[in-house]
Amino acid sequence: MTDTKIRSLKPREDRYRVSDMGGLLIEVMPSGAKIWRYRYQLHGVRQPTLTIGNYPDISLADARKQRDEWAVLVARGESPKRAVQAVKTAHKNTVKVFGLDWLDDQIKGKSDSYVKTMRRVFEKDVIPAIGQMPLAEVKPADILNLCDRIKSRGSPQMALLTRNVLRRMYDFAVARQMVDTNPATALVARFIATAESRTRALSAKEIGDVMRSIYASDARRGVKLALHLLLITMVRKTELTEAPWTEFDFDAGIWDIHADRMKKDKPHRVYLSDQAKAMFLELKRLSNGSAYVFPSTHGSEDRPIHNSTLNQAIRAMAMDVQHFVLHDFRRTASTHLHEMGHSSDAIELALAHKITGIKGVYNRAEYANQRRVILQAWADFVDAQMHTATVTPIFSRA
């Protein structure tokens, strides 16, 4: 058989086969497709033909090479079909294929935020790093290297979460005898990161210490303002750092965050305090015409600063406040505002938390007025803590 002869084969009403040699044949389908097959006997018994692949995707030379490899197995009394199944099983048992199947089962019926986080673990970190490795070949060092890379971008908690997810996945694989050991259990959690406290709120003194440390640091002016705004606007970090100028109406004193940038995929309005408005207007002058409030300083100003920039800035600062992470700002605001006696519902809405029941439907105008009052009171409170150590006010209400 030659390529010229193969190309000349025309489809018929019924499929038909043309032999090459040594059990190799090509099957011509009514559709015109041409498929390589291998026909053989094992221990004197004719076996079902094996499919090699489509022509011309599989060339004549490649088809003959595959035939010869299978013929060696047949000569040894081994089944080429079993060898094909072993290859397919090995592919199925890569971290990517096995992991995504496991993930689909894990996220059934779970919340949107849980699904989003779990998919992010696999798609952003696990699959690019070890996705193509067979499950059984992953070593503790591979997972440690993966966690170290995540930590290096300023995300120790995500590194810890990734280790925990892989440990659960491998527990599942061990229980089903897919692998013998769990490589993630060799990594002690405390050596990756310390689990984040869910109850940490800065005291009034600590607020002052943190803010004074920020403004006394060598960080860029834009980063200092970002950290200050993160505290007094009560938003999440990426909601601030990825903000475009199109979301702001300074005349009305509002910042409308688009739904696709919010954790719950619902738009959120921030009522700007006098201090926040002054800071954003300064940032507008510093942004050099960028579409973003915090443009990247590396490469292009057409993208916002990196997600880890504020975390890295905080870690580089000398301060006496211990066990503090940026997300504590939101809990800190909630704690102090409740202590001041402000409406719990209004505080929850200012944090973009959902209020269930009839209260979540009515009195929106009242909540809006309360939220304006809350955010101004909170900015004033933060200012007061900053100035308790005879520090010249950085932003004060004239």
Side-chain angles (χ1 to χ4, degrees):
M1 195 178 296
T2 64
D3 280 308
T4 300
K5 182 175 181 180
I6 296 171
R7 287 194 295 270
S8 70
L9 297 174
K10 304 300 181 184
R12 301 174 185 172
E13 186 174 345
D14 296 317
R15 63 182 181 177
Y16 66 96
R17 293 175 172 179
V18 178
S19 296
D20 181 44
M21 61 180 72
L24 180 64
L25 55 89
I26 194 163
E27 187 169 5
V28 183
M29 310 300 287
S31 64
K34 298 168 184 176
I35 305 172
W36 292 112
R37 314 273 192 197
Y38 176 60
R39 183 167 50 197
Y40 67 102
Q41 292 184 359
L42 191 62
H43 307 301
V45 179
R46 176 169 289 186
Q47 304 294 317
T49 58
L50 286 177
T51 299
I52 297 176
N54 287 8
Y55 177 88
D57 297 336
I58 305 295
S59 69
L60 174 59
D62 288 339
R64 286 174 173 169
K65 181 179 179 182
Q66 182 63 79
R67 173 204 60 195
D68 293 343
E69 291 177 1
W70 285 345
V72 170
L73 295 176
V74 172
R76 294 203 300 251
E78 300 175 10
S79 169
K81 180 178 181 181
R82 187 170 297 172
V84 171
Q85 290 173 336
V87 171
K88 290 181 178 178
T89 300
H91 172 69
K92 184 177 181 180
N93 287 348
T94 61
V95 172
K96 177 179 179 179
V97 177
F98 179 85
L100 291 179
D101 284 344
W102 173 81
L103 179 63
D104 286 342
D105 184 66
Q106 292 294 304
I107 62 179
K108 288 179 181 176
K110 299 296 177 64
S111 67
D112 290 344
S113 61
Y114 180 86
V115 171
K116 184 177 180 180
T117 299
M118 291 289 282
R119 288 202 179 282
R120 181 180 182 277
V121 167
F122 274 87
E123 294 170 2
K124 182 173 182 178
D125 294 311
V126 173
I127 291 175
I130 60 174
Q132 301 308 314
M133 296 180 67
L135 275 177
E137 294 184 12
V138 174
K139 305 299 181 186
D142 298 314
I143 299 178
L144 179 60
N145 289 337
L146 167 59
C147 292
D148 284 344
R149 282 199 294 273
I150 298 171
K151 287 172 64 177
S152 70
R153 67 171 188 250
S155 303
Q157 296 302 322
M158 182 56 68
L160 181 60
L161 174 62
T162 301
R163 174 264 191 189
N164 292 343
V165 169
L166 287 173
R167 185 182 62 181
R168 288 169 50 201
M169 184 191 79
Y170 268 97
D171 281 344
F172 182 87
V174 169
R176 280 149 186 78
Q177 300 183 357
M178 307 289 287
V179 295
D180 294 328
T181 59
N182 184 336
T185 57
L187 276 65
V188 180
R190 68 177 182 273
F191 295 148
I192 299 174
T194 302
E196 242 179 78
S197 168
R198 296 287 182 179
T199 59
R200 180 75 162 103
L202 299 177
S203 68
K205 178 181 181 303
E206 288 176 326
I207 292 171
D209 290 341
V210 168
M211 295 309 300
R212 286 189 292 272
S213 295
I214 288 171
Y215 281 103
S217 74
D218 294 329
R220 291 181 287 108
R221 177 68 174 174
V223 170
K224 294 177 180 179
L225 296 180
L227 290 166
H228 195 160
L229 284 165
L230 191 63
L231 176 58
I232 67 173
T233 59
M234 300 164 59
V235 298
R236 298 177 181 88
K237 183 178 63 176
T238 56
E239 292 163 7
L240 176 69
T241 58
E242 298 177 4
W245 286 115
T246 53
E247 292 181 342
F248 292 84
D249 182 344
F250 290 116
D251 291 335
I254 57 176
W255 170 21
D256 284 322
I257 306 176
H258 297 162
D260 59 3
R261 296 204 311 108
M262 293 296 299
K263 184 176 181 180
K264 299 296 185 181
D265 295 323
K266 291 186 177 181
H268 177 58
R269 173 166 287 184
V270 179
Y271 296 94
L272 301 178
S273 63
D274 293 345
Q275 294 92 325
K277 183 176 178 179
M279 289 183 226
F280 278 120
L281 288 173
E282 179 178 348
L283 288 164
K284 184 74 170 176
R285 294 190 294 271
L286 295 174
S287 64
N288 295 320
S290 172
Y292 293 98
V293 177
F294 301 98
S296 171
T297 58
H298 303 287
S300 172
E301 292 182 347
D302 293 332
R303 65 173 186 266
I305 58 175
H306 194 275
N307 185 44
S308 65
T309 300
L310 300 189
N311 302 77
Q312 292 171 352
I314 283 290
R315 285 198 298 273
M317 293 176 189
M319 62 176 71
D320 295 329
V321 180
Q322 300 298 311
H323 309 300
F324 156 67
V325 294
L326 288 180
H327 193 72
D328 294 334
F329 277 166
R330 284 165 54 82
R331 191 179 303 107
T332 296
S334 176
T335 299
H336 287 281
L337 287 168
H338 276 99
E339 289 177 353
M340 294 177 200
H342 291 286
S343 161
S344 179
D345 289 343
I347 294 170
E348 291 301 298
L349 286 172
L351 290 164
H353 291 166
K354 182 179 180 181
I355 297 178
T356 59
I358 197 69
K359 290 192 298 182
V361 178
Y362 296 105
N363 297 326
R364 290 182 179 176
E366 178 182 350
Y367 285 138
N369 292 332
Q370 290 183 25
R371 285 160 64 186
R372 284 187 186 276
V373 171
I374 283 172
L375 285 164
Q376 187 59 65
W378 177 233
D380 292 343
F381 180 86
V382 171
D383 264 0
Q385 311 320 308
M386 293 169 62
H387 307 150
T388 56
T390 65
V391 175
T392 302
I394 298 167
F395 281 98
S396 59
R397 300 175 67 193

